[in-house]
Amino acid sequence: MMDTSEFEIQTPVIAGNWKMHMTPSEARAFGEAFAARYAPHDNRTVILFPPAISFAATAEALSERSDLRLGIQNIHWEDSGAFTGETSAAMARDAGARFVLIGHSERRHVFNESDADVGRKVDTALEHRLVPVACVGETLEEREAGRLEEVLLRQIDAIIQDLPGEHIERLVIAYEPVWAIGTGVNATPEDASSAHAVLRARLAERTDDSAARRIPILYGGSVNPENAPKLLAADYVDGVLVGGASLDPESFAAIATS
Ligand code: PGA
């Protein structure tokens, strides 16, 4: 449980990342269908990350559902300016976002975002009272070369290095092995647990054990209604970040209630 001064993050956290899917009309239809299939639960946090252009339609469709949270998929680190195509944290917050995905593997690998960019965006999100869902994860090549721990520590350090302890406690971390994203090959619950333990230990070094335990660490990569219960039951796994399976209201509702 994490107090963000406005609302508490109850774990498990079930987050849906729609990526570049869902037009505004589709988002509206999804909102209605999902609300009909998922009843409010007070023992978890369900978050949707629509594309920026479909954000308002999603918010409108879910306006009666104060239990559901919305997030934006990316922000720029500047507050405003000549940055064509970008969204600022203040804009996202004003539109109703409370969370922001930062450093998703597609941002890192397709759009060449560096660890430093990710760190700057995390700082900006926190300044604007958006909860960063900061993503880390190794490629298959890095895992096979025995570099899993080194990569995770480098990425998490870039996220937390400039943050005071009380800001670190406001993060959500998502471990998403790149080889598991969109491939249908999910990490085993044991793989997720051991990666999460590495991250949790690093967070504890910078805060303390009990603060580090309260920072939700989500697993992402080919989560579906069948594997979600086992992943959610794994040690140190406090939630899931779901891509493909979050596009179908029925399967996302099944994951959200698992
Ligand atoms: P996937 O995507 O569930 O489609 O593998 C996960 C993600 O990229 O967040």
Side-chain angles (χ1 to χ4, degrees), residues 17 19 104-106 176 180-184 220-223 241-245:
N17 170 17
K19 311 191 180 187
H104 186 277
S105 95
E106 287 143 23
E176 298 208 303
I181 298 178
T183 58
S222 298
V223 174
L241 179 53
V242 187

Side-chain angles (χ1 to χ4, degrees), residues 150-168:
E150 171 207 320
V151 171
L152 293 185
L153 292 178
R154 193 199 74 227
Q155 292 177 340
I156 192 81
D157 283 348
I159 290 164
I160 62 179
Q161 69 193 2
D162 296 330
L163 297 179
E166 69 272 17
H167 279 190
I168 295 175

Side-chain angles (χ1 to χ4, degrees), residues 104-169:
H104 186 277
S105 95
E106 287 143 23
R107 300 293 323 167
R108 291 176 186 268
H109 297 285
V110 184
F111 298 100
N112 296 320
E113 272 184 23
S114 65
D115 286 337
D117 296 337
V118 172
R120 280 194 276 194
K121 290 183 179 195
V122 166
D123 296 348
T124 304
L126 289 168
E127 274 164 33
H128 288 272
R129 292 186 302 133
L130 291 173
V131 178
V133 178
C135 305
V136 298
E138 82 289 1
T139 63
L140 187 59
E141 203 184 7
E142 288 162 340
R143 172 173 275 260
E144 286 176 345
R147 296 180 50 218
L148 169 65
E149 192 164 327
E150 171 207 320
V151 171
L152 293 185
L153 292 178
R154 193 199 74 227
Q155 292 177 340
I156 192 81
D157 283 348
I159 290 164
I160 62 179
Q161 69 193 2
D162 296 330
L163 297 179
E166 69 272 17
H167 279 190
I168 295 175
E169 290 174 36

